[in-house]
Amino acid sequence: MSRIGKTPIPMPSGVTYSVDSGVFKVKGPKGELTVPFNKELTIKQDGDQLLVERPSDAQRHRALHGLTRSLVFNAVKGVSDGFVINLELRGVGYRAKLAGKALEMTIGYSHPVVIQPPEGVSFTVPEPTKIDVSGIDKQLVGQVAANVRKVRKPDAYHGKGVRFLGQKIALKAGKAGATGGKGKK
């Protein structure tokens, strides 16, 4: 049995849902999400929890079982709590600020880079070197954070760039001639 698929999904107070022919709709204090799923699976309520069940132990049903449970759980968590991904800027003169809803970053190019957030995602800049990407859709928040990071990935030699908060970068050594190892005879 799938360990992920059989785990019950807790339903927080203030969250309502409906299941209609392969579409799971959930509404909470932060917004509303829709998750399509395979019609062969069933989503039932058991007290204050949701259970995702599969019709058989076929390999296809086992694969869909865990996937559907994860997508439904992320939707329920998103409309109740939301998701936040923290990014940080490393480098001399690297900074970010908000221009309306858009994120404006100065990160070593000759021009500032402006990123418009898609519907359902917002940026906050608590410090000039920190960016928070938040929203209710986990997949969309993760994709937007990856797109922001892609503008200037961390450099392998100096570590400068946009990185996830707490991300460790393995720095390369660089040229041996720069350390004074040259000229010994």
CSV table of all heavy atoms in Angstrom, one decimal, residues 35-98:
chain,number,residue,atom,x,y,z
A,35,VAL,N,-8.3,21.1,-8.5
A,35,VAL,CA,-7.4,20.1,-8.8
A,35,VAL,C,-8.1,19.0,-9.6
A,35,VAL,O,-8.9,18.3,-9.0
A,35,VAL,CB,-6.8,19.5,-7.5
A,35,VAL,CG1,-5.8,18.4,-7.8
A,35,VAL,CG2,-6.1,20.5,-6.6
A,36,PRO,N,-7.7,18.8,-10.8
A,36,PRO,CA,-8.2,17.7,-11.6
A,36,PRO,C,-7.5,16.4,-11.2
A,36,PRO,O,-6.3,16.4,-10.9
A,36,PRO,CB,-7.9,18.0,-13.0
A,36,PRO,CG,-6.8,18.9,-13.0
A,36,PRO,CD,-6.9,19.6,-11.7
A,37,PHE,N,-8.3,15.3,-11.1
A,37,PHE,CA,-7.7,14.0,-10.8
A,37,PHE,C,-8.4,12.9,-11.6
A,37,PHE,O,-9.4,13.1,-12.2
A,37,PHE,CB,-7.7,13.7,-9.2
A,37,PHE,CG,-9.1,13.5,-8.7
A,37,PHE,CD1,-9.7,12.2,-8.5
A,37,PHE,CD2,-9.9,14.6,-8.3
A,37,PHE,CE1,-10.9,12.1,-8.0
A,37,PHE,CE2,-11.2,14.4,-7.8
A,37,PHE,CZ,-11.7,13.2,-7.7
A,38,ASN,N,-7.8,11.7,-11.6
A,38,ASN,CA,-8.3,10.6,-12.3
A,38,ASN,C,-9.7,10.1,-11.7
A,38,ASN,O,-9.8,9.9,-10.5
A,38,ASN,CB,-7.3,9.4,-12.3
A,38,ASN,CG,-7.7,8.4,-13.4
A,38,ASN,OD1,-8.7,7.8,-13.3
A,38,ASN,ND2,-6.8,8.2,-14.3
A,39,LYS,N,-10.7,9.9,-12.6
A,39,LYS,CA,-12.0,9.6,-12.1
A,39,LYS,C,-12.1,8.2,-11.5
A,39,LYS,O,-13.0,7.9,-10.8
A,39,LYS,CB,-13.0,9.6,-13.3
A,39,LYS,CG,-13.2,11.0,-13.8
A,39,LYS,CD,-14.1,11.0,-15.0
A,39,LYS,CE,-14.2,12.4,-15.6
A,39,LYS,NZ,-15.0,12.5,-16.8
A,40,GLU,N,-11.1,7.3,-11.7
A,40,GLU,CA,-11.1,6.0,-11.1
A,40,GLU,C,-10.8,6.1,-9.6
A,40,GLU,O,-11.2,5.1,-8.9
A,40,GLU,CB,-10.0,5.1,-11.8
A,40,GLU,CG,-10.3,4.9,-13.3
A,40,GLU,CD,-9.2,4.2,-14.0
A,40,GLU,OE1,-8.5,3.3,-13.3
A,40,GLU,OE2,-8.9,4.5,-15.1
A,41,LEU,N,-10.2,7.1,-9.1
A,41,LEU,CA,-9.9,7.3,-7.7
A,41,LEU,C,-11.1,7.9,-7.0
A,41,LEU,O,-11.8,8.6,-7.7
A,41,LEU,CB,-8.6,8.1,-7.5
A,41,LEU,CG,-7.3,7.5,-8.1
A,41,LEU,CD1,-6.2,8.5,-7.9
A,41,LEU,CD2,-7.0,6.2,-7.4
A,42,THR,N,-11.2,7.7,-5.7
A,42,THR,CA,-12.3,8.4,-5.0
A,42,THR,C,-11.7,9.2,-3.8
A,42,THR,O,-10.7,8.8,-3.2
A,42,THR,CB,-13.3,7.3,-4.4
A,42,THR,OG1,-12.6,6.4,-3.6
A,42,THR,CG2,-14.0,6.6,-5.5
A,43,ILE,N,-12.4,10.3,-3.5
A,43,ILE,CA,-12.0,11.1,-2.4
A,43,ILE,C,-13.2,11.1,-1.4
A,43,ILE,O,-14.3,11.6,-1.8
A,43,ILE,CB,-11.6,12.5,-2.8
A,43,ILE,CG1,-10.4,12.5,-3.8
A,43,ILE,CG2,-11.3,13.4,-1.6
A,43,ILE,CD1,-10.0,13.8,-4.3
A,44,LYS,N,-12.9,10.6,-0.2
A,44,LYS,CA,-14.0,10.6,0.8
A,44,LYS,C,-13.7,11.3,2.1
A,44,LYS,O,-12.5,11.5,2.4
A,44,LYS,CB,-14.3,9.1,1.2
A,44,LYS,CG,-14.8,8.2,0.2
A,44,LYS,CD,-15.1,6.9,0.9
A,44,LYS,CE,-15.0,5.7,0.0
A,44,LYS,NZ,-15.3,4.5,0.7
A,45,GLN,N,-14.7,11.8,2.8
A,45,GLN,CA,-14.4,12.4,4.1
A,45,GLN,C,-14.7,11.4,5.2
A,45,GLN,O,-15.6,10.6,5.2
A,45,GLN,CB,-15.4,13.6,4.3
A,45,GLN,CG,-15.0,14.3,5.6
A,45,GLN,CD,-15.6,15.8,5.5
A,45,GLN,OE1,-16.2,16.2,4.6
A,45,GLN,NE2,-15.2,16.5,6.6
A,46,ASP,N,-13.7,11.4,6.1
A,46,ASP,CA,-13.8,10.5,7.3
A,46,ASP,C,-13.6,11.4,8.5
A,46,ASP,O,-12.5,11.6,8.9
A,46,ASP,CB,-12.7,9.4,7.2
A,46,ASP,CG,-12.8,8.4,8.4
A,46,ASP,OD1,-13.9,8.2,8.9
A,46,ASP,OD2,-11.7,7.9,8.7
A,47,GLY,N,-14.7,11.8,9.1
A,47,GLY,CA,-14.6,12.8,10.2
A,47,GLY,C,-14.1,14.1,9.7
A,47,GLY,O,-14.7,14.7,8.9
A,48,ASP,N,-13.0,14.6,10.3
A,48,ASP,CA,-12.4,15.9,9.9
A,48,ASP,C,-11.2,15.6,9.0
A,48,ASP,O,-10.3,16.5,8.9
A,48,ASP,CB,-12.0,16.7,11.1
A,48,ASP,CG,-11.0,16.1,12.0
A,48,ASP,OD1,-10.8,14.9,11.8
A,48,ASP,OD2,-10.4,16.8,12.8
A,49,GLN,N,-11.2,14.5,8.3
A,49,GLN,CA,-10.1,14.1,7.4
A,49,GLN,C,-10.6,13.7,6.1
A,49,GLN,O,-11.7,13.2,6.0
A,49,GLN,CB,-9.2,13.0,8.0
A,49,GLN,CG,-8.6,13.4,9.3
A,49,GLN,CD,-7.8,12.2,9.9
A,49,GLN,OE1,-8.1,11.0,9.6
A,49,GLN,NE2,-6.9,12.4,10.7
A,50,LEU,N,-9.7,13.8,5.0
A,50,LEU,CA,-10.0,13.3,3.7
A,50,LEU,C,-9.2,12.1,3.4
A,50,LEU,O,-8.0,12.0,3.8
A,50,LEU,CB,-9.8,14.4,2.6
A,50,LEU,CG,-10.6,15.6,2.6
A,50,LEU,CD1,-10.2,16.5,1.5
A,50,LEU,CD2,-12.1,15.2,2.4
A,51,LEU,N,-9.8,11.1,2.7
A,51,LEU,CA,-9.0,9.9,2.3
A,51,LEU,C,-9.1,9.7,0.8
A,51,LEU,O,-10.2,9.9,0.3
A,51,LEU,CB,-9.6,8.7,3.0
A,51,LEU,CG,-9.5,8.6,4.5
A,51,LEU,CD1,-10.2,7.4,5.1
A,51,LEU,CD2,-8.0,8.5,4.9
A,52,VAL,N,-8.0,9.4,0.2
A,52,VAL,CA,-8.0,9.1,-1.2
A,52,VAL,C,-7.8,7.6,-1.4
A,52,VAL,O,-6.9,7.0,-0.8
A,52,VAL,CB,-6.8,9.8,-1.9
A,52,VAL,CG1,-6.7,9.5,-3.4
A,52,VAL,CG2,-6.9,11.4,-1.7
A,53,GLU,N,-8.8,7.0,-2.1
A,53,GLU,CA,-8.8,5.6,-2.2
A,53,GLU,C,-8.7,5.2,-3.7
A,53,GLU,O,-9.1,5.9,-4.6
A,53,GLU,CB,-10.0,5.0,-1.6
A,53,GLU,CG,-10.1,5.2,-0.1
A,53,GLU,CD,-11.4,4.7,0.5
A,53,GLU,OE1,-12.4,4.4,-0.3
A,53,GLU,OE2,-11.5,4.7,1.7
A,54,ARG,N,-8.0,4.0,-3.9
A,54,ARG,CA,-7.9,3.5,-5.3
A,54,ARG,C,-8.7,2.2,-5.5
A,54,ARG,O,-8.9,1.5,-4.5
A,54,ARG,CB,-6.4,3.3,-5.6
A,54,ARG,CG,-5.7,2.2,-4.7
A,54,ARG,CD,-4.3,2.1,-5.1
A,54,ARG,NE,-3.7,1.0,-4.4
A,54,ARG,CZ,-2.6,1.0,-3.7
A,54,ARG,NH1,-1.8,2.1,-3.7
A,54,ARG,NH2,-2.1,0.0,-3.1
A,55,PRO,N,-9.1,1.9,-6.7
A,55,PRO,CA,-9.9,0.8,-7.0
A,55,PRO,C,-9.2,-0.6,-6.9
A,55,PRO,O,-9.8,-1.6,-6.6
A,55,PRO,CB,-10.5,1.0,-8.4
A,55,PRO,CG,-9.5,1.9,-9.0
A,55,PRO,CD,-8.9,2.7,-7.9
A,56,SER,N,-7.9,-0.6,-7.3
A,56,SER,CA,-7.1,-1.9,-7.3
A,56,SER,C,-5.7,-1.6,-7.0
A,56,SER,O,-5.3,-0.5,-6.8
A,56,SER,CB,-7.3,-2.5,-8.7
A,56,SER,OG,-6.5,-1.8,-9.6
A,57,ASP,N,-4.9,-2.7,-6.9
A,57,ASP,CA,-3.5,-2.6,-6.7
A,57,ASP,C,-2.7,-2.6,-8.0
A,57,ASP,O,-1.5,-2.9,-8.0
A,57,ASP,CB,-3.0,-3.8,-5.8
A,57,ASP,CG,-3.2,-3.5,-4.3
A,57,ASP,OD1,-3.4,-2.3,-4.0
A,57,ASP,OD2,-3.1,-4.4,-3.5
A,58,ALA,N,-3.3,-2.3,-9.1
A,58,ALA,CA,-2.6,-2.2,-10.4
A,58,ALA,C,-1.5,-1.1,-10.3
A,58,ALA,O,-1.7,-0.1,-9.6
A,58,ALA,CB,-3.6,-1.9,-11.5
A,59,GLN,N,-0.5,-1.2,-11.0
A,59,GLN,CA,0.7,-0.3,-10.9
A,59,GLN,C,0.2,1.1,-11.3
A,59,GLN,O,0.6,2.1,-10.6
A,59,GLN,CB,1.8,-0.7,-11.9
A,59,GLN,CG,3.1,-0.1,-11.6
A,59,GLN,CD,3.3,1.3,-12.2
A,59,GLN,OE1,2.7,1.6,-13.2
A,59,GLN,NE2,4.1,2.1,-11.5
A,60,ARG,N,-0.7,1.3,-12.2
A,60,ARG,CA,-1.2,2.6,-12.6
A,60,ARG,C,-2.0,3.2,-11.5
A,60,ARG,O,-1.8,4.4,-11.2
A,60,ARG,CB,-2.1,2.4,-13.9
A,60,ARG,CG,-2.6,3.7,-14.4
A,60,ARG,CD,-3.4,3.4,-15.7
A,60,ARG,NE,-3.9,4.6,-16.2
A,60,ARG,CZ,-5.1,5.0,-15.9
A,60,ARG,NH1,-5.9,4.3,-15.1
A,60,ARG,NH2,-5.6,6.2,-16.4
A,61,HIS,N,-2.8,2.4,-10.8
A,61,HIS,CA,-3.6,3.0,-9.7
A,61,HIS,C,-2.7,3.3,-8.5
A,61,HIS,O,-3.0,4.3,-7.8
A,61,HIS,CB,-4.7,2.0,-9.3
A,61,HIS,CG,-5.8,1.8,-10.3
A,61,HIS,ND1,-6.4,0.7,-10.5
A,61,HIS,CD2,-6.3,2.7,-11.3
A,61,HIS,CE1,-7.3,0.8,-11.5
A,61,HIS,NE2,-7.2,2.0,-12.0
A,62,ARG,N,-1.7,2.5,-8.3
A,62,ARG,CA,-0.8,2.8,-7.2
A,62,ARG,C,-0.1,4.2,-7.4
A,62,ARG,O,0.1,5.0,-6.5
A,62,ARG,CB,0.2,1.7,-7.0
A,62,ARG,CG,-0.4,0.4,-6.4
A,62,ARG,CD,0.7,-0.5,-6.0
A,62,ARG,NE,1.8,-0.6,-6.9
A,62,ARG,CZ,2.1,-1.7,-7.6
A,62,ARG,NH1,1.5,-2.8,-7.4
A,62,ARG,NH2,3.1,-1.7,-8.5
A,63,ALA,N,0.4,4.4,-8.7
A,63,ALA,CA,1.1,5.6,-9.0
A,63,ALA,C,0.1,6.8,-8.9
A,63,ALA,O,0.5,7.9,-8.3
A,63,ALA,CB,1.6,5.6,-10.4
A,64,LEU,N,-1.1,6.7,-9.3
A,64,LEU,CA,-2.0,7.8,-9.3
A,64,LEU,C,-2.5,8.1,-7.8
A,64,LEU,O,-2.8,9.2,-7.5
A,64,LEU,CB,-3.3,7.5,-10.1
A,64,LEU,CG,-3.0,7.6,-11.6
A,64,LEU,CD1,-4.3,7.0,-12.4
A,64,LEU,CD2,-2.7,9.0,-12.1
A,65,HIS,N,-2.5,7.1,-7.0
A,65,HIS,CA,-2.9,7.2,-5.6
A,65,HIS,C,-2.1,8.2,-4.8
A,65,HIS,O,-2.6,9.2,-4.3
A,65,HIS,CB,-2.9,5.8,-4.9
A,65,HIS,CG,-3.5,5.7,-3.6
A,65,HIS,ND1,-3.2,4.8,-2.7
A,65,HIS,CD2,-4.5,6.5,-3.0
A,65,HIS,CE1,-3.9,5.0,-1.6
A,65,HIS,NE2,-4.7,6.0,-1.8
A,66,GLY,N,-0.8,8.0,-4.8
A,66,GLY,CA,0.1,9.0,-4.1
A,66,GLY,C,0.1,10.3,-4.7
A,66,GLY,O,0.1,11.4,-4.0
A,67,LEU,N,0.1,10.4,-6.1
A,67,LEU,CA,0.1,11.7,-6.8
A,67,LEU,C,-1.2,12.5,-6.4
A,67,LEU,O,-1.1,13.7,-6.0
A,67,LEU,CB,0.1,11.5,-8.3
A,67,LEU,CG,-0.1,12.7,-9.1
A,67,LEU,CD1,1.1,13.7,-9.0
A,67,LEU,CD2,-0.4,12.3,-10.6
A,68,THR,N,-2.3,11.9,-6.5
A,68,THR,CA,-3.6,12.6,-6.2
A,68,THR,C,-3.6,13.0,-4.7
A,68,THR,O,-4.0,14.2,-4.5
A,68,THR,CB,-4.8,11.6,-6.5
A,68,THR,OG1,-4.7,11.2,-7.8
A,68,THR,CG2,-6.1,12.4,-6.3
A,69,ARG,N,-3.2,12.2,-3.8
A,69,ARG,CA,-3.2,12.6,-2.4
A,69,ARG,C,-2.3,13.8,-2.2
A,69,ARG,O,-2.6,14.7,-1.5
A,69,ARG,CB,-2.7,11.4,-1.6
A,69,ARG,CG,-2.9,11.6,-0.1
A,69,ARG,CD,-1.6,12.1,0.6
A,69,ARG,NE,-1.8,12.4,2.0
A,69,ARG,CZ,-1.0,13.3,2.6
A,69,ARG,NH1,-0.1,14.0,2.0
A,69,ARG,NH2,-1.2,13.6,3.9
A,70,SER,N,-1.1,13.8,-2.8
A,70,SER,CA,-0.2,15.0,-2.7
A,70,SER,C,-0.8,16.2,-3.3
A,70,SER,O,-0.7,17.3,-2.7
A,70,SER,CB,1.2,14.7,-3.3
A,70,SER,OG,1.8,13.6,-2.7
A,71,LEU,N,-1.4,16.2,-4.4
A,71,LEU,CA,-2.0,17.3,-5.0
A,71,LEU,C,-3.2,17.9,-4.2
A,71,LEU,O,-3.3,19.1,-4.1
A,71,LEU,CB,-2.4,17.0,-6.5
A,71,LEU,CG,-1.3,16.7,-7.5
A,71,LEU,CD1,-1.9,16.3,-8.8
A,71,LEU,CD2,-0.4,17.8,-7.7
A,72,VAL,N,-4.0,17.0,-3.7
A,72,VAL,CA,-5.1,17.4,-2.9
A,72,VAL,C,-4.6,18.0,-1.6
A,72,VAL,O,-5.1,19.1,-1.1
A,72,VAL,CB,-6.1,16.2,-2.6
A,72,VAL,CG1,-7.1,16.6,-1.5
A,72,VAL,CG2,-6.8,15.8,-3.9
A,73,PHE,N,-3.6,17.4,-0.9
A,73,PHE,CA,-3.0,18.0,0.3
A,73,PHE,C,-2.5,19.4,0.1
A,73,PHE,O,-2.7,20.3,0.9
A,73,PHE,CB,-2.0,17.0,0.8
A,73,PHE,CG,-1.2,17.6,2.0
A,73,PHE,CD1,-1.8,17.6,3.3
A,73,PHE,CD2,0.0,18.1,1.9
A,73,PHE,CE1,-1.2,18.1,4.4
A,73,PHE,CE2,0.7,18.7,3.0
A,73,PHE,CZ,0.1,18.6,4.3
A,74,ASN,N,-1.7,19.5,-1.0
A,74,ASN,CA,-1.1,20.9,-1.3
A,74,ASN,C,-2.2,21.9,-1.6
A,74,ASN,O,-2.0,23.1,-1.2
A,74,ASN,CB,-0.2,20.8,-2.5
A,74,ASN,CG,1.1,20.0,-2.2
A,74,ASN,OD1,1.5,19.9,-1.0
A,74,ASN,ND2,1.8,19.5,-3.2
A,75,ALA,N,-3.3,21.5,-2.2
A,75,ALA,CA,-4.4,22.5,-2.4
A,75,ALA,C,-5.0,22.9,-1.1
A,75,ALA,O,-5.3,24.1,-0.9
A,75,ALA,CB,-5.4,21.9,-3.4
A,76,VAL,N,-5.3,21.9,-0.2
A,76,VAL,CA,-5.9,22.2,1.1
A,76,VAL,C,-5.0,23.1,1.9
A,76,VAL,O,-5.4,24.1,2.5
A,76,VAL,CB,-6.2,20.9,1.8
A,76,VAL,CG1,-6.6,21.2,3.3
A,76,VAL,CG2,-7.4,20.1,1.1
A,77,LYS,N,-3.7,22.8,1.9
A,77,LYS,CA,-2.7,23.6,2.7
A,77,LYS,C,-2.6,25.0,2.1
A,77,LYS,O,-2.5,25.9,2.8
A,77,LYS,CB,-1.4,22.9,2.7
A,77,LYS,CG,-0.4,23.6,3.6
A,77,LYS,CD,0.9,22.8,3.7
A,77,LYS,CE,1.8,23.6,4.7
A,77,LYS,NZ,3.2,23.5,4.4
A,78,GLY,N,-2.6,25.1,0.8
A,78,GLY,CA,-2.5,26.4,0.1
A,78,GLY,C,-3.6,27.3,0.4
A,78,GLY,O,-3.4,28.5,0.7
A,79,VAL,N,-4.9,26.8,0.4
A,79,VAL,CA,-6.0,27.7,0.7
A,79,VAL,C,-6.1,28.1,2.2
A,79,VAL,O,-6.8,29.0,2.5
A,79,VAL,CB,-7.3,27.2,0.1
A,79,VAL,CG1,-7.3,27.0,-1.3
A,79,VAL,CG2,-7.7,25.9,0.8
A,80,SER,N,-5.5,27.3,3.1
A,80,SER,CA,-5.6,27.6,4.5
A,80,SER,C,-4.4,28.3,5.0
A,80,SER,O,-4.6,29.3,5.7
A,80,SER,CB,-5.8,26.3,5.3
A,80,SER,OG,-4.6,25.4,5.1
A,81,ASP,N,-3.2,27.9,4.6
A,81,ASP,CA,-2.0,28.6,5.1
A,81,ASP,C,-1.2,29.4,4.0
A,81,ASP,O,-0.6,30.4,4.3
A,81,ASP,CB,-1.0,27.6,5.7
A,81,ASP,CG,-1.6,26.8,6.8
A,81,ASP,OD1,-2.5,27.4,7.5
A,81,ASP,OD2,-1.2,25.7,7.1
A,82,GLY,N,-1.2,28.9,2.8
A,82,GLY,CA,-0.4,29.5,1.7
A,82,GLY,C,1.0,28.9,1.7
A,82,GLY,O,1.4,28.2,2.6
A,83,PHE,N,1.8,29.3,0.7
A,83,PHE,CA,3.2,28.8,0.6
A,83,PHE,C,4.1,30.0,0.4
A,83,PHE,O,3.7,31.0,-0.3
A,83,PHE,CB,3.3,27.9,-0.6
A,83,PHE,CG,2.6,26.6,-0.5
A,83,PHE,CD1,1.3,26.4,-1.0
A,83,PHE,CD2,3.1,25.6,0.3
A,83,PHE,CE1,0.7,25.2,-0.9
A,83,PHE,CE2,2.4,24.4,0.4
A,83,PHE,CZ,1.2,24.2,-0.1
A,84,VAL,N,5.3,30.0,0.9
A,84,VAL,CA,6.2,31.0,0.8
A,84,VAL,C,7.6,30.4,0.5
A,84,VAL,O,8.0,29.4,1.2
A,84,VAL,CB,6.4,31.9,2.1
A,84,VAL,CG1,7.4,32.9,2.0
A,84,VAL,CG2,5.0,32.5,2.4
A,85,ILE,N,8.3,30.9,-0.5
A,85,ILE,CA,9.7,30.5,-0.8
A,85,ILE,C,10.5,31.8,-0.6
A,85,ILE,O,10.3,32.8,-1.2
A,85,ILE,CB,9.8,30.0,-2.2
A,85,ILE,CG1,9.0,28.7,-2.3
A,85,ILE,CG2,11.3,29.7,-2.6
A,85,ILE,CD1,9.1,28.0,-3.6
A,86,ASN,N,11.6,31.6,0.2
A,86,ASN,CA,12.5,32.7,0.5
A,86,ASN,C,13.7,32.7,-0.4
A,86,ASN,O,14.4,31.6,-0.5
A,86,ASN,CB,12.9,32.7,1.9
A,86,ASN,CG,11.7,32.7,2.9
A,86,ASN,OD1,10.8,33.6,2.7
A,86,ASN,ND2,11.7,31.8,3.8
A,87,LEU,N,14.1,33.8,-1.0
A,87,LEU,CA,15.3,33.9,-1.8
A,87,LEU,C,16.2,34.9,-1.2
A,87,LEU,O,15.7,35.8,-0.5
A,87,LEU,CB,14.9,34.3,-3.3
A,87,LEU,CG,14.0,33.3,-4.0
A,87,LEU,CD1,13.5,34.0,-5.3
A,87,LEU,CD2,14.7,32.0,-4.4
A,88,GLU,N,17.5,34.8,-1.5
A,88,GLU,CA,18.4,35.9,-1.1
A,88,GLU,C,19.4,36.2,-2.2
A,88,GLU,O,19.7,35.4,-3.0
A,88,GLU,CB,19.2,35.4,0.2
A,88,GLU,CG,20.1,34.3,0.0
A,88,GLU,CD,20.8,33.9,1.3
A,88,GLU,OE1,21.0,34.8,2.2
A,88,GLU,OE2,21.3,32.8,1.4
A,89,LEU,N,19.8,37.5,-2.2
A,89,LEU,CA,20.7,38.0,-3.2
A,89,LEU,C,22.1,38.1,-2.5
A,89,LEU,O,22.2,38.6,-1.4
A,89,LEU,CB,20.3,39.4,-3.7
A,89,LEU,CG,18.9,39.5,-4.3
A,89,LEU,CD1,18.6,40.9,-4.6
A,89,LEU,CD2,18.8,38.6,-5.5
A,90,ARG,N,23.1,37.6,-3.2
A,90,ARG,CA,24.5,37.6,-2.7
A,90,ARG,C,25.3,38.3,-3.8
A,90,ARG,O,25.3,37.9,-4.9
A,90,ARG,CB,25.1,36.3,-2.4
A,90,ARG,CG,24.5,35.6,-1.2
A,90,ARG,CD,25.4,35.8,0.0
A,90,ARG,NE,24.8,35.1,1.1
A,90,ARG,CZ,25.3,34.0,1.6
A,90,ARG,NH1,26.2,33.4,1.0
A,90,ARG,NH2,24.7,33.4,2.6
A,91,GLY,N,26.0,39.4,-3.4
A,91,GLY,CA,26.9,40.0,-4.3
A,91,GLY,C,27.0,41.5,-4.0
A,91,GLY,O,26.0,42.1,-3.5
A,92,VAL,N,28.1,42.2,-4.3
A,92,VAL,CA,28.2,43.6,-4.1
A,92,VAL,C,27.3,44.4,-4.9
A,92,VAL,O,27.3,44.2,-6.2
A,92,VAL,CB,29.7,44.0,-4.3
A,92,VAL,CG1,29.9,45.5,-4.1
A,92,VAL,CG2,30.6,43.3,-3.4
A,93,GLY,N,26.4,45.2,-4.3
A,93,GLY,CA,25.5,46.0,-5.1
A,93,GLY,C,24.2,45.3,-5.5
A,93,GLY,O,23.4,45.9,-6.2
A,94,TYR,N,24.1,44.0,-5.2
A,94,TYR,CA,22.9,43.3,-5.6
A,94,TYR,C,21.8,43.6,-4.6
A,94,TYR,O,21.9,43.5,-3.4
A,94,TYR,CB,23.1,41.8,-5.5
A,94,TYR,CG,24.0,41.2,-6.6
A,94,TYR,CD1,24.8,42.0,-7.4
A,94,TYR,CD2,23.9,39.9,-6.9
A,94,TYR,CE1,25.6,41.5,-8.4
A,94,TYR,CE2,24.7,39.3,-7.9
A,94,TYR,CZ,25.5,40.1,-8.7
A,94,TYR,OH,26.3,39.6,-9.7
A,95,ARG,N,20.6,44.1,-5.2
A,95,ARG,CA,19.5,44.4,-4.3
A,95,ARG,C,18.2,44.3,-5.1
A,95,ARG,O,18.2,44.3,-6.3
A,95,ARG,CB,19.7,45.9,-3.7
A,95,ARG,CG,19.8,46.9,-4.8
A,95,ARG,CD,20.1,48.3,-4.1
A,95,ARG,NE,20.2,49.3,-5.2
A,95,ARG,CZ,21.2,49.5,-6.0
A,95,ARG,NH1,22.3,48.8,-5.9
A,95,ARG,NH2,21.2,50.5,-6.9
A,96,ALA,N,17.1,44.3,-4.3
A,96,ALA,CA,15.8,44.2,-4.9
A,96,ALA,C,14.9,45.2,-4.3
A,96,ALA,O,15.1,45.6,-3.1
A,96,ALA,CB,15.3,42.8,-4.7
A,97,LYS,N,13.8,45.6,-5.0
A,97,LYS,CA,12.8,46.4,-4.5
A,97,LYS,C,11.5,46.2,-5.2
A,97,LYS,O,11.5,45.6,-6.3
A,97,LYS,CB,13.2,47.9,-4.5
A,97,LYS,CG,13.3,48.4,-5.9
A,97,LYS,CD,13.7,49.9,-5.9
A,97,LYS,CE,13.9,50.4,-7.3
A,97,LYS,NZ,14.2,51.8,-7.4
A,98,LEU,N,10.4,46.6,-4.6
A,98,LEU,CA,9.1,46.5,-5.3
A,98,LEU,C,8.8,47.7,-6.1
A,98,LEU,O,9.0,48.8,-5.6
A,98,LEU,CB,8.0,46.2,-4.3
A,98,LEU,CG,8.0,44.8,-3.7
A,98,LEU,CD1,6.9,44.7,-2.7
A,98,LEU,CD2,7.8,43.7,-4.8
